[in-house]
Amino acid sequence: MTPQLSELDVQNLRHLLGGYDTSCCKMTEYANQASDQQIKQFFLKAAQSAKENKQQLMHFLG
């Protein structure tokens, strides 16, 4: 028996997924603007992490 998600659960998941998209875009933009290579790599890694987290969550929900 699979538990059903409530409407609030679905709204929270939608918000979380959107947050991952926003984080990925912002971190990528910060990386593009960074001149220091360590900072650039930090933001690129953060962007990749957000993208992977969204993909993993979508896989679990799929």
Side-chain angles (χ1 to χ4, degrees), residues 22-34 40 43-44 47:
T22 300
S23 292
C24 184
C25 290
K26 286 186 176 192
M27 296 300 159
T28 300
E29 183 58 29
Y30 296 155
N32 289 338
Q33 294 180 23
K40 182 182 284 284
F43 284 124
L44 288 173

Side-chain angles (χ1 to χ4, degrees), residues 2-41:
T2 304
Q4 296 293 319
L5 294 175
S6 70
E7 185 174 336
L8 180 59
D9 291 330
V10 172
Q11 289 174 358
N12 287 336
L13 287 168
R14 187 177 301 127
H15 181 73
L16 184 60
L17 290 168
Y20 283 136
D21 280 336
T22 300
S23 292
C24 184
C25 290
K26 286 186 176 192
M27 296 300 159
T28 300
E29 183 58 29
Y30 296 155
N32 289 338
Q33 294 180 23
S35 56
D36 183 285
Q37 285 302 309
Q38 285 183 311
I39 294 173
K40 182 182 284 284
Q41 287 304 311

Side-chain angles (χ1 to χ4, degrees), residues 50-62:
K51 183 178 179 179
E52 290 170 0
N53 287 339
K54 179 188 176 188
Q55 290 172 342
Q56 188 173 25
L57 181 56
M58 292 292 291
H59 175 75
F60 289 139
L61 296 174

